[in-house]
Structures are given as structure tokens and as C-alpha cells.
Amino acid sequence: MKSRSDFELSRRKLLAGSAASIALTAAPSIVSAQVPAVEAAVADVSAVWKVSFTVNGAARGLTLDPRTTLLDALREHLHLTGTKKGCDHGQCGACTVIVGGRRINSCMTLAVMHEGERITTVEGLGTPENMHPMQAAFVKDDGYQCGYCTPGQICSAVAVLDEIKAGIPSHVSADLNAPPQLSNSELRERMSGNICRCGAYSNIAEAISEVAGRPA
Amino acid sequence: MRSFTYERARTPAEAAASAMRKPDAKFIAGGTNLLDLMKLEIETPAHLIDVNGLALDKIEPTQEGGLRIGALVRNTDLAADTRVRRDYGVLSRALLAGASGQLRNMATTAGNLLQRTRCPYFYDTNQSCNKRKPGSGCAAIGGFSRQHAVVGASEACIATHPSDMAVAMRALDATVETVRPDGPTRTIPIAEFYRLPGDTPHIETTLMPGELITAVTLPKPVGGKQIYRKVRDRASYAFALVSVAAIVQRDGTGRVALGGVAHKPWRVEAAEAQMPNGAKAVAERLFADARPTRQNAFKLALAERTLGAVLAEAKG
């Protein structure tokens, strides 16, 4: 695996490119007058940004165009392709990862917004030889067909059980002030941000229930 | 996504001042709405001010017996706070009815208030939209308007405000605290925070350019039965067709605000006075000036029935 991404931008390249495009649009008669202003503007611009965070227990440092989403940083720069890009608009949940113990849509956040944070992707939960109980349950219960949404489903499911344990209520919790139940309707409501185009929902709910220690 | 420059602000005043220096700047907190719009080039800020490092993530009691919610408190944490669950149940319920678990973990209190409409014509850059491109017209008027506003709309815009949380905040009479780019702080009652579209639907709030929300304050708890009922096309993870946030006291009086029907959370005090007289009387006054389209007229009946269900639940 390459340690340095083909997509990584160098600050010099990007600045050279933008300076050239500004020079081209300036009228010849004012080019000389414009040059110092252009240099001053460029010096103030953070065209690339350094960010460091922990991914699956390992410290990682990247230099990124600030537009890079956390999802693209994981997939294109760190080559952790377990996390999937589905809709890229926070609607499908295929990109779900766990940041600081909370599940989020990695497509709807910039990598530079996560300086110093702990990120767990599906690769960090377990390996084919040593699966996380949730991964093992998805395999046993057929919690997928095509598998594209599965890494997001599994990261989400692991975090859902933690949320229930932490007493975070949901839309279907009957009593806001009582500990939430591990019922099928609770799991379905909490997993509604993970869409499965194949419709493997009942087996997904079964797998999660099994890990939670209660049949669906 | 268009390119932008980026900075991490260290204090609210610094963030607001930076926004004033760079007029094309936007604050970014959770990013769950802004990045979506930036990918579609509906929002094209030249500069992003990351406010996540500002220490605005606490929920603290106020001297008046209420709660001060930091602008950066995530929707999940606000919904799960034991004081909010106990004393402001309508707010917990509204938050939990919105978005998905993943989005609630990122989305912030201030960001939720400032989210943009989900009108499909606002989202489609090939369509005319006065909110996206002032003066270009409104393709929703005469288009598919099933989801759109039935009251308070204008000839320029019939979009709705998508937030559930804001509807509960309106029923609770919350106050928005801000810092202005030139330094001073101020408080804005939620009743005066949102604007109706009029002929400037792109100006959605009474915030001035660069003004940063630092907190939302809830007054002392008012008790009562607190209910948030949301009617939508799916059982979960969908925006409201109609929603009702209600606080009902033992004697049948109370407060009610509606979502999904207008450009802002819809609350009419004359309608509230009718609460002891039932849903029909309340709905008549809520929608006295309603001008629905042929496709969304159903929302009037739906709102009345939802109100009826909420008032019945409050009695039970």
C-alpha cells in the first residue's frame, strides 16, 4: 500500500496554479502593478491544511485541500476503502464511521475539522481472522446482500448499542425519563439513517439484537 | 465544491470579526447542512470559519431558573440531557423526531436553527428560486408544491422551514444570544428571530451579516404536558408534512406551534387562546390567512387532526 496519496496536493503546485490563472486574467497594462497585490493575497491564503488524528489506533498526519471530506481523506488519502461513498449527501449512511465514540456521516464533515480526534472505521473494529462480534453476527445472520452499505451498517450498529447503554432516548422511546429498551422498534428507529438498497433490514435487526443479547 | 480558505476561530468575538472582514465567509459547526449545499454549489463561501473550537458546548442553569444551551451543543446531547428530558420534554421529542442518529451527533443547536429549506426547487440549480438567486422567480409556485407552506408565504417564495427543534424552541419562548461582528452581544426572542419570505426570501433571520449565535436560552420550565407530534411520509428520517409542538396545562390552556406549514415555526397567540375549545377552533385561527395551493391544501385538514390528536393525548 502506498503511504503517500496520488491525490495529495502540494502547496507549491496549488499556489503556482492559482497565481498563473490570476495573471492570465489581468490586462497586460496592469500586470506589473497587480503582482505585489497578488503575492500579498496568496500569502494570506491557506490553500492546504495539515491535520493529524488517530485512525483505528494509529496516528495519521495529512496535508489536505480543506475541501476534503473525512470520507475522502479515509478512502483516497489513507486508502481505508472499507468506508463507502453512497449518496455523498448524508442521506444513506454508507459512510458511517465512529469519531470520539459517536457515529457520524463521514461525507458531511471536513477532515480538517477533526484535528486530534479518534476515528474508528470498519477496518478498526475487526479483521477477517478476528471479527468484531457485530461483524460475526452480520455474517451469521446474512445481514446484507450486495454488501455495499454493510460497513456503515456495522459501524452504526456498534454505536447504537453504546447509545442505548448510555441511556440516550430515541423517537420511539415511550418514556423519555426511563432507560431505553433493547426492542426491535428501538433498533429500527435508531438504524433509520442507514439505508440498505437490497432490503436486508430484518436480518440486520436480527444481527444487532443477537449482539445486544436479546432475540429480535 | 468551490474552493475556499479555512480558519479555526479561537473566540466567538474573533469568529464574528473575521466574518466581517471577509464578506463571503460562513461559519461551520456540524456542517451537516452547509457541506451538503456547498457540494451542490448552492452555498459558495470563499472562506470557512470553523467554530467547533469555541467552548460553546455546555448546558448550564440560568439565574432565572432556565437553561442556557451553548450554540455548539450537539442535537443528541441536547435531546439526552436529563434536565431537558424532565422539564422541556417537547424539545427532546422534537430533536429526536429529526434527521438520523448520525446527523444528530454532528448537528449543533445554532446550526439547526439556521438550516436552509429543503424545497426541491431551492436544491435544483436549474430551477428559478428567489431564495437561492434573488429575483430569479419561484418555480415552486405552479410546480409540485405538496410539501410547501400554506400560510405566511408570498408571491416570491412558498418554502417551509425544515427544523423540528425550532418549532419546540418557539413553543418554549427560547431566546437566541449572539455576538455581533463589531463586538456587542445581544439577545433575540425566538419570536423575532425568523422572517417571513416577503419579497426577500433569501434573508431568513434577523441576524446581521457576520453575527454569531453563542447560545439559546430557555426560560424557567412551564410544566404541563409537553408533546411533539410529527406527521411525515416515512415513520423515521423524513421532514415533516405537519408537526405540532404543544404544552398543555391541566385546565386545557397552553401553547402550540406548528412546523411544516410556513417559512418559520408557526405560532398565533389568538389561536392558543382557543385551546380549551378544541382543535377546530385553534386551527381556524392558526390558518385564518392561509393560502394553500391545490397540492398542499391537505395540510390544513392534517394540521387540525394532528392538533386534535395532540389535545386528546394531553387530556389522557
Side-chain angles (χ1 to χ4, degrees), chain A residues 89-90 102 107 112 173 192, chain B residues 8 36 39 77 93 236-237:
Chain A
H89 286 278
R102 291 278 177 90
C107 75
V112 292
S173 305
S192 71
Chain B
R8 294 185 188 125
D36 181 27
K39 287 180 183 189
D77 296 315
R93 287 291 182 197
S236 183
Y237 200 14

Side-chain angles (χ1 to χ4, degrees), chain B residues 66-141:
Chain B
L67 282 183
R68 186 170 184 274
I69 303 156
L72 291 170
V73 172
R74 308 286 156 173
N75 287 181
T76 297
D77 296 315
L78 184 54
D81 185 273
T82 50
R83 295 159 293 185
V84 174
R85 283 150 74 173
R86 187 189 61 220
D87 297 330
Y88 307 95
V90 67
L91 178 57
S92 263
R93 287 291 182 197
L95 283 157
L96 295 170
S100 67
Q102 288 97 315
L103 292 168
R104 289 192 297 272
N105 281 341
M106 284 296 285
T108 62
T109 306
N112 189 315
L113 287 180
L114 294 175
Q115 65 181 302
R116 310 293 307 273
T117 185
R118 295 323 194 275
C119 171
Y121 299 96
F122 172 73
Y123 262 76
D124 182 349
T125 50
N126 293 310
Q127 303 280 347
S128 56
C129 171
N130 288 320
K131 197 182 268 300
R132 178 168 29 77
K133 198 176 170 202
S136 65
C138 172
I141 296 173

Side-chain angles (χ1 to χ4, degrees), chain B residues 244-306:
Chain B
V244 173
I247 301 169
V248 188
Q249 305 296 346
R250 229 173 255 259
D251 61 2
T253 62
R255 304 176 189 180
V256 62
L258 273 75
V261 297
H263 197 254
K264 62 179 188 177
W266 196 247
R267 186 173 165 198
V268 176
E269 310 225 327
E272 283 177 1
Q274 296 295 323
M275 282 173 71
N277 301 326
K280 191 173 191 310
V282 178
E284 266 170 16
R285 279 155 187 85
L286 273 172
F287 297 116
D289 301 317
R291 284 179 57 202
T293 68
R294 209 154 51 89
Q295 290 170 15
N296 68 16
F298 75 95
K299 284 191 178 185
L300 298 178
L302 185 59
E304 186 184 322
R305 287 171 193 164
T306 310

Side-chain angles (χ1 to χ4, degrees), chain A residues 66-141:
Chain A
R67 282 177 286 186
T68 314
T69 60
L70 180 59
L71 173 62
D72 287 343
L74 293 169
R75 286 183 56 86
E76 310 295 348
H77 295 261
L78 297 175
H79 303 291
L80 290 166
T81 53
T83 307
K84 296 293 185 273
K85 183 178 281 191
C87 68
D88 207 26
H89 286 278
Q91 297 174 0
C92 77
C95 67
T96 303
V97 299
I98 302 170
V99 178
R102 291 278 177 90
R103 56 184 170 137
I104 66 168
N105 300 113
S106 62
C107 75
M108 278 290 101
T109 190
L110 299 172
V112 292
M113 289 160 63
H114 296 283
E115 178 66 36
E117 294 194 275
R118 276 181 307 112
I119 298 154
T120 304
T121 69
V122 71
E123 290 96 336
L125 290 176
T127 62
E129 299 74 37
N130 186 20
M131 283 192 281
H132 184 281
M134 193 65 77
Q135 291 169 316
F138 268 66
V139 172
K140 175 174 169 287
D141 292 322

Side-chain angles (χ1 to χ4, degrees), chain B residues 16-294:
Chain B
S18 175
M20 187 164 67
R21 277 197 307 276
K22 302 189 174 91
D24 287 336
K26 287 254 173 208
F27 302 119
I28 187 163
T32 53
N33 187 218
L34 181 58
L35 286 172
D36 181 27
L37 295 169
M38 285 170 65
K39 287 180 183 189
L40 297 165
E41 300 194 355
I42 294 165
E43 295 272 18
T44 53
H47 184 68
L48 278 190
I49 304 165
D50 184 343
V51 294
N52 284 293
L54 310 183
L56 301 173
D57 56 353
K58 309 276 185 309
I59 306 174
E60 296 158 327
T62 63
Q63 284 185 341
E64 294 76 30
L67 282 183
R68 186 170 184 274
I69 303 156
L72 291 170
V73 172
R74 308 286 156 173
N75 287 181
T76 297
D77 296 315
L78 184 54
D81 185 273
T82 50
R83 295 159 293 185
V84 174
R85 283 150 74 173
R86 187 189 61 220
D87 297 330
Y88 307 95
V90 67
L91 178 57
S92 263
R93 287 291 182 197
L95 283 157
L96 295 170
S100 67
Q102 288 97 315
L103 292 168
R104 289 192 297 272
N105 281 341
M106 284 296 285
T108 62
T109 306
N112 189 315
L113 287 180
L114 294 175
Q115 65 181 302
R116 310 293 307 273
T117 185
R118 295 323 194 275
C119 171
Y121 299 96
F122 172 73
Y123 262 76
D124 182 349
T125 50
N126 293 310
Q127 303 280 347
S128 56
C129 171
N130 288 320
K131 197 182 268 300
R132 178 168 29 77
K133 198 176 170 202
S136 65
C138 172
I141 296 173
F144 289 101
S145 55
R146 178 174 176 273
Q147 300 170 37
H148 291 77
V150 291
V151 67
S154 71
E155 294 303 314
C157 180
I158 57 170
T160 56
H161 195 272
S163 171
D164 293 294
M165 186 196 79
V167 182
M169 291 290 196
R170 181 70 184 89
L172 289 166
D173 275 330
T175 303
V176 181
E177 292 182 15
T178 70
V179 56
R180 292 193 340 203
D182 51 346
T185 58
R186 66 164 172 157
T187 57
I188 308 168
I190 190 100
E192 294 162 24
F193 183 74
Y194 291 111
R195 299 173 77 255
L196 285 177
D199 50 13
T200 53
H202 59 292
I203 305 170
E204 293 166 354
T205 68
T206 51
L207 292 176
M208 60 191 284
E211 189 168 5
L212 177 74
I213 298 175
T214 51
V216 177
T217 302
L218 299 176
K220 213 170 107 174
V222 293
K225 280 224 173 173
Q226 303 202 2
I227 298 167
Y228 189 77
R229 178 77 67 101
K230 179 175 180 179
V231 184
R232 44 185 161 175
D233 286 332
R234 291 192 300 260
S236 183
Y237 200 14
F239 290 97
L241 289 167
V242 163
S243 72
V244 173
I247 301 169
V248 188
Q249 305 296 346
R250 229 173 255 259
D251 61 2
T253 62
R255 304 176 189 180
V256 62
L258 273 75
V261 297
H263 197 254
K264 62 179 188 177
W266 196 247
R267 186 173 165 198
V268 176
E269 310 225 327
E272 283 177 1
Q274 296 295 323
M275 282 173 71
N277 301 326
K280 191 173 191 310
V282 178
E284 266 170 16
R285 279 155 187 85
L286 273 172
F287 297 116
D289 301 317
R291 284 179 57 202
T293 68
R294 209 154 51 89

Side-chain angles (χ1 to χ4, degrees), chain A residues 127-181:
Chain A
T127 62
E129 299 74 37
N130 186 20
M131 283 192 281
H132 184 281
M134 193 65 77
Q135 291 169 316
F138 268 66
V139 172
K140 175 174 169 287
D141 292 322
D142 256 345
Y144 48 79
Q145 274 186 50
C146 80
Y148 195 80
C149 72
T150 311
Q153 297 276 2
I154 288 174
C155 284
S156 201
V158 167
V160 160
L161 295 186
D162 287 343
E163 286 165 17
I164 293 176
K165 217 175 279 171
I168 294 171
S170 87
H171 173 64
V172 300
S173 305
D175 182 354
L176 273 183
N177 299 300
Q181 305 294 302

